[in-house]
Amino acid sequence: MIVTVLGSGAAAPSATRVQAGVLVEAGAVRLLVDCGAGVVHRMATLGVDWSGLTHIALTHFHADHLSDLVTLFVAWRYGQLPPRSAPLTLFGPPGTLGVLGRLAAAFDVDVTAYGFPVTAIELPRRGTVPLGGGVTLASHPVPHTPESVAYSVSDGVHRLVVSGDTPEDEAFADWAAGCDVLLLECSLPESMAVASHLTPEGVGRMAARAHPRRLVCTHLYPPLEGADIPGLVARWWSGPVMVARDGTVLALPGND
Ligand SMILES: [Zn+2]
Ligand SMILES: [Zn+2]
């Protein structure tokens, strides 16, 4: 499994971080988790084969996780020759089909009928679905918005957990327990803490409960630039921690 952080930023404009997006490659699966503003062009910057995605999974409906979805579909139809013909499966929490309908109304881009076969599936907030080749996607609720979920991707050898947006939550940490990579949002410093997001210290407490093999912080707002995030996390968690950049690649050797 190869995990590429495409966008390590959040809602605030940043010179170096676009909004949320993670590419997960496992066997024939090329899954994009979230598609915030800048993610599509960042794939081009990084030389990622944006035309070859097989699956998309949305964690929730905030714009910084969703707003490049239309950009991606327009690129597939008008940004390449020939236009995309390969099928795609799009997952999201309950309410996803309504969001896609509203995007269709706003942009005249119905992603479920856009010239190639798209299967749009609302996953239960606690669900598991096979992606093919022994790769599975699982969802778990997180208390960020009413629909928000985290995702787990397993290839039979390794397990990646992507938090999406979340505050501290013991049930989510327990669900993530023992994963190989825990990609946790890390939004704001303690001095600006809000109830719907994590601080570095909160990340440390989550990791201390989940005990991932590797902990990776993403979804940074500008006030955290320059902060000693690993040092703050280490007040609670002594395991390996890194702060993602756009383009951070995590290779988990195994089935590939
Ligand atoms: Zn966000
Ligand atoms: Zn959010």
Side-chain angles (χ1 to χ4, degrees):
M1 187 185 298
I2 300 173
V3 182
T4 304
V5 179
L6 301 169
S8 59
S14 162
T16 56
R17 303 180 188 275
V18 302
Q19 296 181 349
V22 182
L23 175 66
V24 185
E25 297 170 277
V29 170
R30 304 189 75 248
L31 164 70
L32 176 65
V33 179
D34 284 339
C35 193
V39 165
V40 172
H41 286 68
R42 183 61 89 213
M43 284 193 274
T45 309
L46 297 170
V48 168
D49 175 19
W50 55 269
S51 68
L53 300 176
T54 59
H55 300 78
I56 296 173
L58 302 173
T59 61
H60 65 297
F61 306 144
H62 280 160
D64 57 315
H65 297 253
L66 177 64
S67 59
D68 247 6
L69 189 66
V70 168
T71 305
L72 182 55
F73 276 77
V74 170
W76 277 330
R77 179 154 169 175
Y78 296 109
Q80 60 178 2
L81 285 173
R84 180 179 179 122
S85 59
L88 180 102
T89 305
L90 188 155
F91 301 101
T96 295
L97 298 182
V99 169
L100 298 181
R102 293 193 290 280
L103 288 175
F107 294 99
D108 196 23
V109 175
D110 180 355
V111 303
T112 64
Y114 206 56
F116 58 95
V118 173
T119 305
I121 297 172
E122 290 188 354
L123 275 180
R125 292 179 78 213
R126 283 185 182 82
T128 303
V129 64
L131 303 184
V135 180
T136 57
L137 175 73
S139 55
H140 190 279
V142 288
H144 174 68
T145 60
E147 79 281 5
S148 289
V149 294
Y151 286 116
S152 163
V153 184
S154 302
D155 65 1
V157 177
H158 291 111
R159 180 175 180 233
L160 161 75
V161 173
V162 179
S163 70
D165 287 1
T166 187
E168 288 184 58
D169 183 67
E170 292 185 348
F172 165 51
D174 290 345
W175 181 73
C179 65
D180 294 282
V181 173
L182 177 57
L183 189 59
L184 267 187
E185 75 123 283
C186 183
S187 290
L188 291 161
E190 282 287 321
S191 61
M192 301 174 72
V194 295
S196 55
H197 287 290
L198 288 170
T199 65
E201 289 86 342
V203 166
R205 288 187 287 271
M206 290 287 285
R209 192 172 177 97
H211 285 277
R213 284 183 178 274
R214 297 167 78 180
L215 172 66
V216 183
C217 301
T218 187
H219 199 270
L220 274 69
Y221 277 87
L224 276 180
E225 300 292 355
D228 177 18
I229 293 173
L232 296 169
V233 170
R235 293 180 182 178
W236 296 90
W237 162 247
S238 57
V241 55
M242 67 180 293
V243 179
R245 296 176 293 104
D246 290 14
T248 290
V249 176
L250 307 157
L252 291 81
N255 278 348
D256 295 311

